[in-house]
Amino acid sequence: RSGGGFEMGSEADGGGAVRAVHEGTGAVHIVVGAPGGPGESRDPGVPGGPGGPRDPGDPSNPGIEGEAGAASGGVPTLTVPFPSPMEAEIAHRFLTPNARLRGPVQKELSVNGSVLTVRWRAEDPRLLRISIISFLDQLSLVMRTMRRFGPPVSR
Amino acid sequence: MPAVLGFEGSANKIGVGVVRDGTVLANPRRTYVTPPGTGFLPGDTARHHRAVILDLLQEALTEAGLTSQDIDCIAYTKGPGMGAPLVSVAVVARTVAQLWNKPLLGVNHCIGHIEMGRLITGATSPTVLYVSGGNTQVIAYSEHRYRIFGETIDIAVGNCLDRFARVLKISNDPSPGYNIEQMAKRGKKLVELPYTVKGMDVSFSGILSFIEDAAQRMLATGECTPEDLCFSLQETVFAMLVEITERAMAHCGSQEALIVGGVGCNLRLQEMMETMCQERGARLFATDERFCIDNGAMIAQAGWEMFRAGHRTPLSDSGITQRYRTDEVEVTWRD
């Protein structure tokens, strides 16, 4: 598996999972269409699907059925590793104020060590796609800014 | 002696400025210009801003001869304006504030214009005519608020001019308003257009629909030239603006008028306002294109005033808002 490519998960791998892997700082993992427990059916009218344990963000969880992509009830998740916890925290803090806008798409950002995680909640796949793209644009801008005007001064 | 860095990008101009104690140390700016016949869309504008903003920031610091540590506060446009461009600029402002550990200040764009106008011209307490592509307001200061005395009830005067320029496919470089102004100088015939003043307010959408329609007809029959239409549009909309400004000045007993905003660069508007002011024994103030057109230093200047008065914008509140009334801000830095 080389860097810089997209990888479509196979059926056995939990069909419908899409992974983007890039080399270098800020490699980004996108999982779209949250995996559910085995046997869980994807019914677009029922958020969360009937029963079954949820494990958002884990691409290796097998047993996804139904449609790929952001059907309602999916929790698309983005994870971004940073070189240090401080930078992850900075990214988290200055992307958060925009995240809290009301609307059909909601984002939830969290930081764990050096990794920033974003979870989306949206009914409409098109709005979700716009939100993800726009978020990636902002993230890219933040990272360019950090690279050019960082590192953060000591406090 | 605080030095403030200001970021502005609410429309198609992106600027980064540095102000210290009433002196503008740097004010570089770039404009996103679209082909004739088109306007600028939020997504594309934001993309343009994201591409140039870091270079502009570097330019501003270099021109001011300052390092990041010499800056005391980071000001940015909180609103009003277009969503995507505002967000792109706010993200960078927040990022550098965090990187350099400096306080952040969200500034109202209209107040940026007013404070820069006051600084550059020295006007003490003028009635302000704020006219641009996105805003048209008559403002006067009273008891800690910039009160809106009159405004457009639909579109801004600059928006009316810009959209008319699209109909005639006038170039957007350097700005459609500038090119309309040059063409208007060559106009000879005054075409009668609807004149819409409603009390203290004005309306431009009617005159726009009328002239868009009339343009097709009259240019086809050769009844008038594009220059005549530019001339007539300017004469009509500017007269409306002069009327509502005069009305506000009469209410306030004001002896000073200040024009700010991109449309304020227009020399014909300044001329008409000057005539009105002279008739009232009042003084007119205006700035040049460096400061009437959106720029970073005006945000830095408003930020400087706010910073000294103790305003701070916590990170949790450092978003943007497309609707932000001028009178929402408590102007604690004036008596």
Side-chain angles (χ1 to χ4, degrees):
Chain A
R1 185 188 303 171
S2 64
F6 276 85
E7 198 180 279
M8 280 297 286
S10 65
E11 279 304 310
D13 194 17
V18 175
R19 255 173 271 173
V21 180
H22 299 266
E23 291 288 359
T25 308
V28 161
H29 301 266
I30 308 174
V31 174
V32 179
E40 182 186 88
S41 68
R42 183 59 52 80
D43 178 357
V46 180
R54 314 227 78 228
D55 188 8
D58 183 352
S60 62
N61 195 11
I64 299 177
E65 292 167 12
E67 286 165 355
S72 62
V75 185
T77 302
L78 192 94
T79 62
V80 187
F82 283 82
S84 77
M86 182 183 240
E87 273 143 344
E89 185 53 49
I90 291 176
H92 172 229
R93 269 187 279 150
F94 38 67
L95 290 168
T96 296
N98 297 335
R100 256 189 279 104
L101 296 172
R102 348 152 283 275
V105 182
Q106 269 111 50
K107 293 198 288 284
E108 198 185 283
L109 278 70
S110 56
V111 172
N112 195 349
S114 312
V115 176
L116 176 72
T117 302
V118 191
R119 289 192 171 79
W120 272 269
R121 208 164 309 273
E123 295 295 313
D124 183 345
R126 283 166 307 156
L127 292 181
L128 175 68
R129 185 177 61 120
I130 292 170
S131 179
I132 293 179
I133 291 172
S134 146
F135 181 81
L136 288 173
D137 284 336
Q138 288 171 39
L139 179 64
S140 148
L141 182 58
V142 162
M143 290 168 82
R144 277 191 289 132
T145 308
M146 292 203 297
R147 209 175 307 143
R148 203 153 154 188
F149 293 97
V153 302
S154 51
R155 284 145 221 277
Chain B
M1 288 220 316
V4 179
L5 184 68
F7 288 88
E8 156 55 33
S10 57
N12 66 330
K13 275 76 71 184
I14 169 131
V16 180
V18 182
V19 166
R20 176 163 59 196
D21 291 339
T23 309
V24 176
L25 300 177
N27 202 11
R29 170 179 70 210
R30 304 259 198 286
T31 306
Y32 173 51
V33 172
T34 52
T38 67
F40 53 91
L41 295 170
D44 302 329
T45 308
R47 194 167 310 128
H48 166 269
H49 290 356
R50 284 194 298 263
V52 302
I53 187 173
L54 298 181
D55 290 334
L56 272 177
L57 172 54
Q58 190 58 65
E59 244 180 83
L61 290 173
T62 307
E63 199 181 315
L66 297 177
T67 68
S68 58
Q69 289 319 300
D70 300 320
I71 301 288
D72 296 291
C73 163
I74 314 274
Y76 72 98
T77 307
K78 187 178 179 71
M82 299 169 90
L86 281 171
V87 163
S88 301
V89 172
V91 159
V92 172
R94 253 182 253 138
T95 307
V96 296
Q98 288 287 293
L99 286 173
W100 303 343
N101 195 22
K102 304 287 176 188
L104 198 58
L105 262 176
V107 174
N108 178 300
H109 178 91
C110 316
I111 293 191
H113 276 290
I114 297 173
E115 291 302 337
M116 184 51 94
R118 286 179 60 227
L119 174 72
I120 296 291
T121 64
T124 45
S125 200
T127 301
V128 179
L129 174 64
Y130 170 33
V131 274
S132 70
N135 293 281
T136 295
Q137 300 171 14
V138 175
I139 295 159
Y141 173 76
S142 169
E143 299 202 14
H144 303 293
R145 299 267 161 169
Y146 283 115
R147 318 249 168 208
I148 300 175
F149 275 70
E151 60 186 318
T152 174
I153 60 177
D154 41 53
I155 60 176
V157 62
N159 192 229
C160 178
L161 293 167
D162 292 350
R163 283 160 68 175
F164 177 63
R166 275 186 245 165
V167 166
L168 295 185
K169 301 241 189 320
I170 294 173
S171 167
N172 290 325
D173 188 4
S175 76
Y178 177 83
N179 293 327
I180 289 181
E181 182 178 358
Q182 306 318 307
M183 287 176 69
K185 290 178 188 168
R186 301 191 296 270
K188 297 190 182 27
K189 181 172 166 182
L190 184 67
V191 173
E192 194 166 336
L193 300 172
Y195 181 93
T196 357
V197 168
K198 304 192 186 256
M200 307 285 295
D201 297 324
V202 282
S203 158
F204 295 108
S205 58
I207 192 175
L208 177 63
S209 344
F210 182 94
I211 199 175
E212 280 175 339
D213 185 63
Q216 318 289 19
R217 267 187 301 113
M218 297 172 96
L219 295 177
T221 63
E223 199 179 324
C224 67
T225 65
E227 288 78 2
D228 294 333
L229 287 173
C230 290
F231 168 67
S232 308
L233 182 60
Q234 283 197 170
E235 293 300 298
T236 312
V237 300
F238 292 166
M240 289 160 59
L241 296 173
V242 169
E243 182 180 337
I244 61 166
T245 310
E246 180 166 24
R247 193 158 286 131
M249 288 171 76
H251 274 285
C252 302
S254 173
Q255 292 303 103
E256 290 177 329
L258 170 66
I259 315 180
V260 299
V263 180
C265 300
N266 188 300
L267 296 175
R268 179 59 187 145
L269 173 61
Q270 290 182 23
E271 195 180 21
M272 289 168 78
M273 287 280 291
E274 176 65 41
T275 307
M276 178 271 283
C277 285
Q278 274 178 10
E279 286 171 4
R280 305 183 59 80
R283 260 191 89 182
L284 177 67
F285 295 90
T287 62
D288 65 41
E289 54 86 35
R290 287 172 296 162
F291 303 109
C292 19
I293 299 182
D294 291 347
N295 62 91
M298 75 187 193
I299 301 298
Q301 172 59 19
W304 184 86
E305 295 276 23
M306 292 169 75
F307 181 67
R308 286 191 334 148
H311 289 247
R312 300 285 184 272
T313 301
L315 207 55
S316 53
D317 194 26
S318 67
I320 58 99
T321 170
Q322 290 183 241
R323 305 235 174 283
Y324 191 9
R325 300 277 294 166
T326 315
D327 49 20
E328 271 180 56
V329 176
E330 210 180 323
V331 181
T332 53
W333 58 93
R334 290 182 67 176
D335 309 312

